[in-house]
Amino acid sequence: MEPREYLAQRRADVLTSGHLSAATQESLRIIGSDAKPCLADAPACRAQLGASSGLGDERRLSALAELWTFEALQQEQQRRNSPRNAYAASTAWLEAARNAWAYLFLTGKDPAKRAFEDRQTQVRDYYNFAVQQAVTGLFETRNQFSDGLPEELAQVNGDQIHWRDWTLTVDSADVRDTTKRRLPQELIAASSLSFSGLRNSYRRDGFGAELVAVFAPPDKSDNTVFEEARFPALTAVIAFEGSTPEQVLHSQHATVRLYDPYRHAEIPLAGTAVPLAGNFTSGYGLWLARSGFSTQALHTLLGQEHGISRPRIHLMQPYDPNRRLVVMLHGLASSPEAWINVANEVLGEEALRRNYQIWQVYYPTNIPIAVNNRNIRQALQQTLQHFDPAGTAVASQHITLVGHSMGGVLARLMVTDTQGQLIDGLAAQLKMPKRVKDHVHGELEELLEFSPMPQVSSAVFIAAPHRGTDFANHRLARWASNLVKLPLSMVEGFAKATTDIENALPQDGRAPLHIPNSIDNLSDRDPFVRAMAQLPIAPGLRYHTIIGNNTPNLPLAQSSDGIVPYSSAHWDGAASELVIPSGHSVQETPPAIIEIRRILREQLADSGR
């Protein structure tokens, strides 16, 4: 026999091959049976196996767990044809889970002493899969009966579900803050999801069923500036009543516990500390897949319906006061999709996942940078105030801003103190008399005067046109700029200020003033951009730059990523600068992601965490 044949035969089981494992077949032969006659009369076979005195607890319980898994798979087919067959399927899954539970925790050998045994891995898989199917099956059954579960099938009293002979207590204390006692619209097995566009899927092996809860989107009348995680990762375990195998197998009581895998790496089960399974990619991938961000971002840029008119903060996981914040800001005509792999790869690393949480800022990229700067600051402060009114949590201190392209410019403004320099720079470029400068300052002070956000301690600027780009002056860019439409409410709000400034300026044959849009603000000829470029970053702030270069034949100082020149993306005083052979979307390249992870790890080391 070839080694691979031997391993396949040894490790194959009902879940991987559809056939009973070699270990279960051996147990059946010991009691004088075989796989084929056993499956032909499964109830009698399970009864014979359970009553046999010729097998030890480990052999007997592991074989029963696999036989009940086989039974549950058969019942699952019938359940799909009729919801009223749900009880047989769910009961079979519960039986598989409790036999596996008894094997894992209540036989003579501690689970740690079986760590290298193939059989324990198989039985753990039966348990995890059975819990997944039982919990999602119960939830699906509830949804299939829109008028409520039939009384002969189940009754719900508070946190208890009476499922015919079974009584299940649901303990959701660990995730209650997230769900606010709301029921999700869907409960999806993370193992059933696969995504294109994500390089890696990050998960942690352990006990429990890896799930994704799907909650309804906020009501359109909801005026909050943030959205909590709508697709939180959950891990479900079922703990069975009893301290011996006999007690467990004769009890019809169990507790379904829901855990947040970000908060717990291990949990106590039957007096033993075990690793908690977790999937850290599926909820994020599902959020992106169902977001419609790409279409919405284009509608926003063109000022069409179904776009957005104000920034919104999206939490990637339930808020944790003890994790530091990474706030990501996308670029022009973009959305949180700009960070598809960046966010996934950051939270895929265990050390970073334990210490950081990600907030993504989704903002309208058609409006002027100055307006977005003010609105994003306000949205972030309101969100921080909501979760941490006292401002003492770890999450409210040492925030890291990560901005790509125009998002990088916004990130820099959020750590800048104008102190009157911005209006001075504008006045010098536009040759404003003092009277006009004072008038402009009075009309637009909230946009022209700002200070660094006190909660921010570091920033990463990626392909950021700090000094603008000549690309915004090209014919194609000007054509695109003419398609950009500003929100009517903003135009009306600035109409008076624009008229007043127009009347105050000398009429010397120059072009009429207009409200600049986002593309105007990225031009290296734009007065606001040129004035911004003179503003210093707050003293003591640690910042880094990542720059793309797709012009390898040019000297570095003359190079460009195809959109933003090096001379605009470079900023003196950076703690580090990395130039990567890449186009403008450099943030998604592996070297850039590795660099972001390095920076975040370095921050943890500096803080002693």
Side-chain angles (χ1 to χ4, degrees):
M1 183 182 292
E2 293 291 328
R4 62 182 178 183
E5 292 179 85
Y6 168 76
L7 290 173
Q9 185 185 80
R10 182 179 179 85
R11 296 179 181 174
D13 65 2
V14 69
L15 290 179
T16 60
S17 68
H19 304 290
L20 296 181
S21 65
T24 293
Q25 292 187 51
E26 185 176 275
S27 296
L28 292 174
R29 287 194 293 271
I30 290 174
I31 65 169
S33 183
D34 211 337
K36 192 170 182 179
C38 176
L39 297 179
D41 189 358
C45 179
R46 291 193 299 266
Q48 181 186 1
L49 190 62
S52 173
S53 58
L55 294 174
D57 281 347
E58 289 194 22
R59 277 185 177 274
R60 179 169 51 85
L61 293 169
S62 60
L64 283 169
E66 185 168 12
L67 288 171
W68 274 113
T69 300
F70 186 91
E71 174 72 14
L73 290 169
Q74 306 305 307
Q75 295 292 341
E76 199 69 38
Q77 296 294 328
Q78 297 182 35
R79 183 186 67 81
R80 289 172 188 154
N81 298 329
S82 172
R84 291 187 178 273
N85 290 330
Y87 179 73
S90 295
T91 298
W93 288 123
L94 289 170
E95 291 288 356
R98 76 168 169 179
N99 278 276
W101 171 277
Y103 162 87
L104 291 166
F105 299 113
L106 301 177
T107 52
K109 196 182 294 184
D110 185 271
K113 294 180 180 178
R114 285 193 300 244
F116 298 110
E117 295 183 13
D118 291 340
R119 190 54 166 167
Q120 176 161 275
T121 300
Q122 287 178 324
V123 178
R124 185 205 62 185
D125 288 345
Y126 304 153
Y127 173 81
N128 287 352
F129 192 66
V131 171
Q132 170 189 297
Q133 295 302 103
V135 173
T136 57
L138 283 167
F139 186 85
E140 185 178 335
T141 300
R142 170 196 163 275
N143 283 354
Q144 285 174 329
F145 291 99
S146 57
D147 297 329
L149 291 168
E151 288 191 9
E152 73 274 11
L153 191 62
Q155 295 178 10
V156 179
N157 297 317
D159 289 332
Q160 281 197 336
I161 302 171
H162 299 282
W163 186 251
R164 284 198 183 165
D165 299 332
W166 282 89
T167 298
L168 304 175
T169 301
V170 179
D171 179 0
S172 59
D174 191 57
V175 297
R176 196 163 288 166
D177 289 344
T178 304
T179 63
K180 294 184 174 61
R181 287 188 172 273
R182 295 176 297 146
L183 284 172
Q185 291 181 322
E186 299 175 73
L187 200 58
I188 301 174
S191 61
S192 68
L193 299 171
S194 180
F195 304 97
S196 60
L198 285 171
R199 293 195 187 100
N200 295 303
S201 182
Y202 289 100
R203 55 175 305 278
R204 180 176 61 220
D205 274 338
F207 284 87
E210 302 157 24
L211 307 173
V212 179
V214 180
F215 289 92
D219 190 273
K220 291 185 177 179
S221 61
D222 182 6
N223 291 319
T224 56
V225 296
F226 63 87
E227 182 177 291
E228 296 190 67
R230 278 189 51 219
F231 300 84
L234 304 175
T235 301
V237 300
I238 299 180
F240 294 88
E241 185 180 86
S243 56
T244 66
E246 291 72 23
Q247 290 175 357
V248 167
L249 296 180
H250 289 89
S251 172
Q252 301 293 109
H253 294 264
T255 301
V256 180
R257 292 195 175 96
L258 302 177
Y259 290 96
D260 179 349
Y262 284 95
R263 294 183 181 179
H264 303 279
E266 66 176 30
I267 57 170
L269 287 182
T272 303
V274 300
L276 181 70
N279 193 304
F280 306 102
T281 293
S282 291
Y284 174 62
L286 195 60
W287 173 66
L288 286 174
R290 295 189 178 182
S291 67
F293 281 140
S294 55
T295 303
Q296 191 178 52
L298 184 60
H299 287 166
T300 298
L301 186 67
L302 301 179
Q304 297 175 345
E305 286 187 81
H306 310 301
I308 61 171
S309 59
R310 60 192 178 98
R312 196 165 180 85
I313 313 300
H314 290 269
L315 280 64
M316 295 294 93
Q317 65 189 75
Y319 173 77
D320 188 332
N322 298 314
R323 281 180 167 84
R324 301 174 91 174
L325 272 178
V326 176
V327 177
M328 295 183 170
L329 299 104
H330 60 79
L332 177 70
S334 190
S335 71
E337 286 185 340
W339 306 108
I340 285 178
N341 283 292
V342 183
N344 186 48
E345 296 293 324
V346 166
L347 294 183
E349 185 173 324
E350 179 70 24
L352 299 182
R353 185 168 62 242
R354 285 199 308 266
N355 289 281
Y356 289 101
Q357 58 193 318
I358 292 177
W359 290 3
Q360 295 211 24
V361 181
Y362 183 30
Y363 65 95
T365 62
N366 56 334
I367 65 179
I369 287 177
V371 178
N372 266 325
N373 174 48
R374 177 199 63 191
N375 294 350
I376 292 172
R377 286 166 171 266
Q378 291 176 351
L380 282 172
Q381 294 291 12
Q382 289 175 37
T383 306
L384 290 168
Q385 175 68 22
H386 171 84
F387 288 107
D388 182 26
T392 56
V394 171
S396 298
Q397 304 167 36
H398 304 297
I399 294 174
T400 299
L401 300 178
V402 181
H404 172 249
S405 192
M406 188 165 73
V409 175
L410 286 164
R412 183 173 62 83
L413 291 185
M414 291 164 65
V415 294
T416 296
D417 195 342
T418 54
Q419 296 183 335
Q421 297 177 65
L422 187 53
I423 183 61
D424 289 344
L426 281 170
Q429 290 185 69
L430 298 175
K431 298 179 181 178
M432 293 181 187
K434 184 177 184 306
R435 173 181 62 83
V436 177
K437 185 185 86 167
D438 292 344
H439 186 76
V440 172
H441 190 266
E443 291 276 355
L444 304 176
E445 181 176 3
E446 66 171 355
L447 299 178
L448 301 177
E449 296 294 348
F450 43 86
S451 57
M453 282 190 65
Q455 300 93 337
V456 177
S457 61
S458 60
V460 183
F461 310 130
I462 307 175
H466 298 299
R467 300 170 187 84
T469 170
D470 184 55
F471 189 86
N473 305 317
H474 294 180
R475 181 183 300 173
L476 180 62
R478 298 320 309 157
W479 173 78
S481 178
N482 291 332
L483 296 179
V484 173
K485 302 299 179 186
L486 298 174
L488 181 60
S489 58
M490 199 196 84
V491 173
E492 291 173 342
F494 278 89
K496 181 179 182 302
T498 305
T499 301
D500 290 347
I501 295 168
E502 179 73 37
N503 293 336
L505 288 170
Q507 305 300 312
D508 52 6
R510 54 180 179 72
L513 286 179
H514 72 285
I515 303 171
N517 60 40
S518 50
I519 295 182
D520 297 330
N521 275 167
L522 293 179
S523 167
D524 55 6
R525 302 174 192 172
D526 182 71
F528 181 77
V529 169
R530 299 176 72 167
M532 276 194 318
Q534 305 305 313
L535 301 176
I537 290 175
L541 184 111
R542 189 175 179 85
Y543 57 94
H544 309 258
T545 57
I546 298 175
I547 301 171
N549 178 6
N550 73 348
T551 54
N553 297 325
L554 294 177
L556 181 62
Q558 300 170 23
S559 67
S560 166
D561 64 15
I563 301 289
V564 176
Y566 172 86
S567 58
S568 184
H570 169 79
W571 197 269
D572 288 338
S576 68
E577 177 179 279
L578 179 65
V579 179
I580 298 171
S582 169
H584 186 56
S585 296
V586 63
Q587 84 282 5
E588 278 283 291
T589 63
I593 293 172
I594 292 170
E595 175 71 355
I596 293 169
R597 289 161 65 166
R598 180 196 70 80
I599 291 167
L600 295 177
R601 282 197 304 270
E602 182 181 81
Q603 292 177 174
L604 293 178
D606 290 345
S607 66
R609 293 188 62 149

